[in-house]
């Protein structure tokens, strides 16, 4: 009996000792399940589900369509004609091969794709027609380019809203001027000297936006910049970015959008870029 007492005392003690641990484990697992951290993407932001992404894109396309239709009333009919013509041609091929129902899905998909491509081009043309000739139009186009382009708007300018914008990318440093050519060329020359003292032998390109000889039209600006030769590596671009940051940002106010509806027009441009 004396020997059984320690075993009996130990048994409850063991159970009591395990009980809090088990209870603690239960609480910790419950708190982990309830406070589960959200998954993060490569930028450290919470991941968005694919369904939400698709929904957001659909809303943006709808908004872009609405805005473009206001400035281009013929857009719905043009898209419908493109859909009918392309789908009809493919379906005609299906009839010739005695397989109209087999070619029907392909005809619908191809017709829809043709309508979307046409919509993208019309939206781009409409957006550029709205901003062309407005202060800040070149900056708006530059900030909408795809890829690693570091745009600093309004690094130099005049009271008449002539402006020079600085772009850093793989080609080197690109200075883009918009305004009256007689005034902006002097601004370009001054800014080029300042930049050259910092970047050394790095290529510096200067562009004047306009429709005259030797100038780049606004609608072709992004294409012109993106076609420049790649002279720098990504590491060199980062190093140059740190050195150029010592010059500071823009020293003159540049409108956030070329027109009061600039924010709305940027939606159309984003949709056009996704189709480019």
């Amino acid at each position: 009996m004396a020997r059984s007492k320690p075993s009996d005392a130990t048994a409850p003690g063991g159970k009591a000792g395990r009980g809090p641990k088990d209870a603690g484990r239960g609480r910790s697992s419950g708190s982990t399940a309830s406070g589960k951290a959200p998954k993060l993407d490569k930028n450290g932001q919470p991941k968005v589900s694919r369904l939400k992404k698709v929904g957001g894109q659909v809303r943006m396309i709808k908004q872009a369509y609405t805005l473009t239709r206001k400035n281009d009333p013929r857009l719905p009919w043009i898209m419908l004609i493109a859909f009918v013509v392309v789908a009809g041609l493919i379906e005609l091929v299906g009839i010739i091969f005695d397989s109209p129902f087999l070619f029907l899905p392909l005809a619908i998909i191809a017709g829809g794709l043709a309508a979307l491509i046409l919509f993208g081009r019309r939206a781009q043309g409409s957006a550029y027609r709205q901003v062309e000739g407005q202060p800040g139009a070149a900056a708006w186009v530059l900030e909408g380019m795809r890829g690693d382009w570091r745009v600093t708007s309004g690094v130099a300018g005049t009271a008449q809203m002539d402006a020079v914008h600085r772009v850093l990318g793989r080609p080197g440093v690109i200075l883009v001027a918009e305004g009256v050519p007689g005034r902006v060329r002097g601004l370009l020359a001054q800014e080029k000297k300042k930049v050259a003292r910092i970047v050394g032998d790095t290529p510096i390109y200067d562009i004047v936006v306009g429709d005259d000889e030797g100038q780049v039209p606004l609608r072709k600006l992004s294409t012109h910049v993106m076609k420049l030769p790649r002279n720098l590596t990504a590491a060199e671009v980062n190093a140059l970015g740190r050195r150029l940051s010592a010059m500071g940002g823009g020293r003159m106010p540049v409108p956030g959008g070329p027109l009061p509806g600039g924010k709305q027009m940027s939606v159309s441009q984003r949709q056009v870029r996704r189709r480019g």
Side-chain angles (χ1 to χ4, degrees):
M1 293 298 292
R3 292 178 182 175
S4 63
K5 285 181 180 179
S7 61
D8 293 342
T10 304
K15 291 178 182 177
R18 287 193 300 270
K21 291 181 182 178
D22 294 342
R25 287 172 187 165
R27 286 194 299 269
S28 62
S29 61
S31 61
T32 303
S34 61
K36 188 176 180 181
K39 294 183 179 179
L40 303 178
D41 58 15
K42 61 181 180 181
N43 297 322
Q45 300 296 327
K47 283 189 175 180
V48 182
S49 65
R50 291 184 179 179
L51 188 60
K52 288 184 179 179
K53 286 183 179 179
V54 171
Q57 290 176 356
V58 170
R59 285 192 297 271
M60 291 175 69
I61 293 174
K62 184 179 179 181
Q63 185 179 3
Y65 174 81
T66 303
L67 294 171
T68 305
R69 185 181 178 182
K70 288 180 181 179
N71 301 297
D72 189 0
R74 295 181 298 173
L75 178 65
W77 296 106
I78 293 174
M79 291 178 63
L80 179 61
I81 291 171
F83 175 84
V84 171
V85 169
V86 174
L89 288 174
I90 295 178
E91 189 61 15
L92 180 61
V93 174
I95 293 173
I96 292 173
F97 285 96
D98 199 23
S99 303
F101 295 105
L102 184 63
F103 279 76
L104 183 59
L106 179 61
I108 294 174
I109 293 173
L113 183 60
L116 284 176
I117 292 174
L118 191 60
F119 161 65
R121 292 183 178 179
R122 303 284 293 194
Q124 185 182 37
S126 175
Y128 280 123
R129 282 193 298 272
Q130 290 180 68
V131 302
E132 199 162 12
Q134 301 294 327
W140 176 73
V141 172
L142 293 170
E143 290 170 356
M145 293 191 305
R146 293 175 297 175
D148 185 15
W149 300 96
R150 306 173 191 192
V151 181
T152 305
S153 304
V155 295
T158 66
Q160 292 79 18
M161 297 305 292
D162 305 310
V164 175
H165 314 296
R166 187 178 68 231
V167 182
L168 175 62
R170 295 288 295 276
V173 179
I174 305 112
L175 299 175
V176 180
E178 60 176 326
V180 178
R183 294 195 295 256
V184 298
R185 292 196 184 280
L187 291 174
L188 267 178
Q190 294 175 10
E191 192 64 25
K192 197 170 184 178
K193 289 180 181 178
K194 294 177 185 177
V195 173
R197 287 196 292 266
I198 294 177
V199 302
D201 296 331
T202 301
I204 303 176
Y205 301 88
D206 56 275
I207 299 171
V208 177
V209 177
D211 296 320
D212 296 334
E213 186 177 355
Q215 300 176 352
V216 178
L218 181 69
R219 61 186 177 277
K220 297 182 179 179
L221 177 60
S222 60
T223 303
H224 180 85
V225 172
M226 295 177 71
K227 284 185 177 180
L228 292 174
R230 301 298 189 254
N231 302 309
L232 305 177
T233 63
E236 290 172 333
V237 171
N238 291 331
L240 272 178
R242 289 190 292 269
R243 289 158 62 185
L244 286 172
S245 62
M247 297 181 65
R251 292 185 287 275
M252 65 162 291
V254 175
L259 293 175
K263 183 177 179 182
Q264 293 179 329
M265 287 184 293
S266 66
V267 175
S268 298
Q269 190 190 32
R270 283 196 297 269
Q271 300 310 318
V272 170
R273 288 206 314 270
R274 287 195 176 106
R275 287 167 177 76

